[in-house]
Amino acid sequence: MKHIINPYDNNNDTARNNSDCPLVVLPEEIFFTISIVGVLENLIVLLAVIKNKNLQSPMYFFICSLAISDMLGSLYKILENILIMFRNMGYVKPRGHFETTADDIIDSLFILSLLGSIFSLLVIAADRYITIFHALKYHSIVTTRRALVTLMVIWTFCTGSGITMAIFSHHVPTVIAFTVLFPLMLVFILCLYVHMFLLARSHARKISTLPRVNMKGAITLTILLGVFIFCWAPFVLHVLLMTFCPSNPYCACYMSLFQVNGMLIMCNAVIDPFIYAFRSPELREAFKKMIFCNRYQ
């Protein structure tokens, strides 16, 4: 999928000749630093849930799933930089069998990050819906066992899809399947929000009696979704333009911002943990205990 994730490896001269927009190049050190921070932050989220039994509930398991997705997105860039470094040092033969195989594995991580984020946000949305409108039955509907089984199915599907898309990345149907999941997720969550809004209007008194934490969770989801769209949408648009109008000067001009769009994806992994900490007092307290070696106990 290298022709999609980094189209300039293909030396698309036609697109660049038809556009007066210079290619925006960012230092690799920026990507590497942001990626390292993203991995560490999301690793702290995972450790906080693992070490604190009061956080081991379905809601936080779903948040861990999103944290894993963000971490894979950051890990992708770290491994890519390491591969490039070894190639420049002469340890890896350019465009050889090892580099091609490593590229496919690294690209699979990137695709897995996007798919994992999409399905994690979907399951978080479903969880918030049940929390708000079926609060009394929530613990009987969303059990720990069901949550773990759901996540196992999701990650099995995402792993299989990621490997398949990386192998068949040069086929247009694969690119369409890769990009269509993004708007489908938005449509599904939008429909869920509209349904929630209509139900909220008809059950206004009932909703007002719910614990504030339930509504706070819905707001947190909205923030996470907004950040995800802002960070990933430019890249998804890039993939579509790269596939269907690579020689158009306007498309080529937008694609000159590829590295900026890539940096936004890396930033998503850094921003999400701050959202968890800001919106969840329990996670914030767990972070303090971990960072300051339990001085807050």
Side-chain angles (χ1 to χ4, degrees):
M1 202 152 182
K2 189 60 66 180
H3 69 294
I4 293 176
I5 295 180
N6 194 347
Y8 297 100
D9 281 352
N10 285 345
N11 297 319
N12 195 341
D13 296 327
T14 303
R16 280 186 283 176
N17 289 339
N18 290 339
S19 172
D20 294 328
C21 301
L23 175 63
V24 178
V25 179
L26 300 177
E28 285 297 324
E29 291 78 8
I30 294 179
F31 287 96
F32 192 75
T33 302
I34 295 176
S35 298
I36 290 291
V37 173
V39 169
L40 294 177
E41 285 185 0
N42 286 282
L43 186 59
I44 291 175
V45 173
L46 297 178
L47 291 176
V49 175
I50 292 173
K51 294 183 64 176
N52 293 270
K53 291 185 178 181
N54 60 317
L55 296 179
Q56 294 175 7
S57 62
M59 179 182 71
Y60 286 107
F61 290 155
F62 299 146
I63 287 178
C64 283
S65 178
L66 185 59
I68 292 174
S69 301
D70 289 337
M71 194 160 57
L72 289 176
S74 297
L75 188 61
Y76 148 79
K77 193 60 182 177
I78 294 173
L79 294 177
E80 184 185 58
N81 282 5
I82 292 175
L83 180 64
I84 293 174
M85 181 180 67
F86 282 154
R87 183 179 63 183
N88 293 339
M89 294 173 63
Y91 294 115
V92 177
K93 182 180 178 181
R95 301 188 183 279
H97 177 72
F98 177 81
E99 185 186 30
T100 302
T101 303
D103 276 342
D104 289 338
I105 294 173
I106 294 173
D107 291 344
S108 296
L109 290 179
F110 180 83
I111 301 170
L112 183 58
S113 173
L114 175 60
L115 296 178
S117 296
I118 289 175
F119 285 99
S120 295
L121 286 169
L122 287 175
V123 76
I124 291 174
D127 178 73
R128 292 302 88 199
Y129 177 86
I130 297 172
T131 301
I132 294 173
F133 295 105
H134 301 281
L136 298 178
K137 299 180 180 179
Y138 175 81
H139 292 291
S140 61
I141 297 174
V142 186
T143 63
T144 299
R145 182 176 180 276
R146 288 177 179 174
L148 292 177
V149 169
T150 299
L151 290 176
M152 191 180 302
V153 171
I154 286 175
W155 280 100
T156 300
F157 171 79
C158 290
T159 302
S161 299
I163 294 173
T164 303
M165 287 184 178
I167 294 174
F168 298 100
S169 61
H170 293 276
H171 298 77
V172 173
T174 304
V175 178
I176 295 176
F178 176 80
T179 55
V180 79
L181 283 172
F182 190 84
L184 281 179
M185 179 207 69
L186 299 184
V187 170
F188 176 82
I189 295 183
L190 179 61
C191 292
L192 197 62
Y193 266 77
V194 171
H195 186 54
M196 289 170 65
F197 174 75
L198 295 176
L199 281 179
R201 289 189 60 184
S202 60
H203 298 82
R205 184 174 299 178
K206 181 180 178 181
I207 297 297
S208 63
T209 62
L210 288 175
R212 289 185 60 186
V213 66
N214 291 354
M215 296 305 298
K216 190 174 182 179
I219 296 173
T220 302
L221 169 63
T222 304
I223 298 173
L224 288 171
L225 181 62
V227 171
F228 175 78
I229 294 172
F230 177 80
C231 293
W232 279 91
F235 176 80
V236 174
L237 177 59
H238 160 83
V239 173
L240 290 173
L241 296 181
M242 182 63 198
T243 304
F244 296 107
C245 62
S247 300
N248 185 285
Y250 296 103
C251 295
C253 192
Y254 177 83
M255 287 186 292
S256 67
L257 300 173
F258 167 75
Q259 291 198 0
V260 177
N261 298 336
M263 187 180 66
L264 284 176
I265 295 175
M266 302 297 105
C267 288
N268 185 40
V270 175
I271 296 172
D272 280 352
F274 282 102
I275 297 174
Y276 309 146
F278 180 75
R279 301 293 302 177
S280 172
E282 295 84 3
L283 262 180
R284 189 161 59 246
E285 188 64 25
F287 291 160
K288 288 180 180 179
K289 290 180 180 179
M290 290 179 59
I291 295 174
F292 295 100
C293 302
N294 296 323
R295 292 178 187 175
Y296 284 83
Q297 284 183 333

